[in-house]
Structures are given as C-alpha cells and as structure tokens.
Amino acid sequence: MKIKKVELILIALIVVVLVVVIYNVLIFVPFKDYSLDVDALKDPESLLVNSRVVLKNTGKLALNDIYVVYDNNKNLTENLLRIEPGQTVILSPPQGAPLNTVSVFTGEGISIDKAFRSPIKMPGMIGS
C-alpha cells in the first residue's frame, strides 16, 4: 500500500497536534506536593505606580501559613492562612513599600525571593 503525499501531510499534522496537546496537558499537571509560583510586577506610569504580587499554588496540596514580606521590611508583611491547589491570589503591596523585592515563606518550607519586574513599554501603547 502506497501512501499519498496528502495522506502523509495529514498524518504529520495529526502527530504535531497530538504532541502539542499532550505537552500542554503535562505542563499543567502538578508533580510536586508543594509548589508556589510568585510574580511581582510594578508598572510605573506618569502619575502613579500600579503594582501587584501574584501567588499561584502549582502543587498537589494546599499551602498554609503564607507570609509575604516586601523589601525585607517586617513592617510591610502580609499573612495568608491557606492557598488551595490551583488557586491564584493577587495582592496589592502596602503603601510606602519601595517595591524592589518580595519574599514569600510557607509553613511547608517554601522560601521564594523575587525582584519586582516592570513590563516593557512599547511606543504608541497606553502608559508608554
């Protein structure tokens, strides 16, 4: 049986689609019991600075006793009791924080230090 060129292209497309679907499923399946993703963003504009810290539990189990410390200042601290698996929490940093770094600690032993990042300003975009 001889495979035609059209059938070969169709088979190749099906294989590519399956690989992409399987890859996307695997990257969203948590492998660790305890895992946390932290994104600290500050967006300076002409009159103010928009900032946020996004915490996402990427593990299989809930995270407890989460402490968020801004710029290594114990006076600029937030405490969360629990983040469920897959849950995302968005925090606003307190007034007066310099917004250089954020440190996150959990009761399960996770410790993450992140520097605040600023988005790239493109000419002609709002806020540029």
Side-chain angles (χ1 to χ4, degrees):
M1 182 166 123
K2 194 172 186 182
I3 297 177
K4 297 179 185 176
K5 187 175 183 180
V6 175
E7 292 172 341
L8 188 61
I9 292 173
L10 185 60
I11 291 170
L13 286 174
I14 290 172
V15 168
V16 168
V17 168
L18 283 174
V19 167
V20 169
V21 168
I22 290 171
Y23 172 77
N24 284 324
V25 168
L26 287 178
I27 64 170
F28 288 111
V29 174
F31 291 103
K32 295 181 180 179
D33 286 341
Y34 301 109
S35 180
L36 181 67
D37 184 34
V38 177
D39 183 26
L41 176 76
K42 68 177 175 182
D43 187 7
E45 296 181 6
S46 58
L47 298 176
L48 57 108
V49 175
N50 287 326
S51 60
R52 68 177 180 263
V53 174
V54 180
L55 307 175
K56 182 171 184 179
N57 183 350
T58 56
K60 292 190 243 180
L61 302 174
L63 296 171
N64 300 296
D65 298 323
I66 300 102
Y67 290 95
V68 181
V69 181
Y70 298 95
D71 297 301
N72 295 321
N73 185 341
K74 297 295 181 190
N75 296 324
L76 302 174
T77 302
E78 292 189 57
N79 183 15
L80 301 169
L81 295 177
R82 186 176 180 95
I83 301 178
E84 297 295 330
Q87 182 181 1
T88 300
V89 177
I90 301 173
L91 304 173
S92 294
Q95 286 277 358
L99 303 178
N100 295 318
T101 62
V102 64
S103 300
V104 181
F105 308 96
T106 70
E108 291 74 24
I110 295 175
S111 175
I112 299 174
D113 294 319
K114 281 276 183 136
F116 275 85
R117 66 179 179 86
S118 295
I120 298 171
K121 301 289 186 176
M122 300 292 285
M125 305 253 334
I126 297 173
S128 303

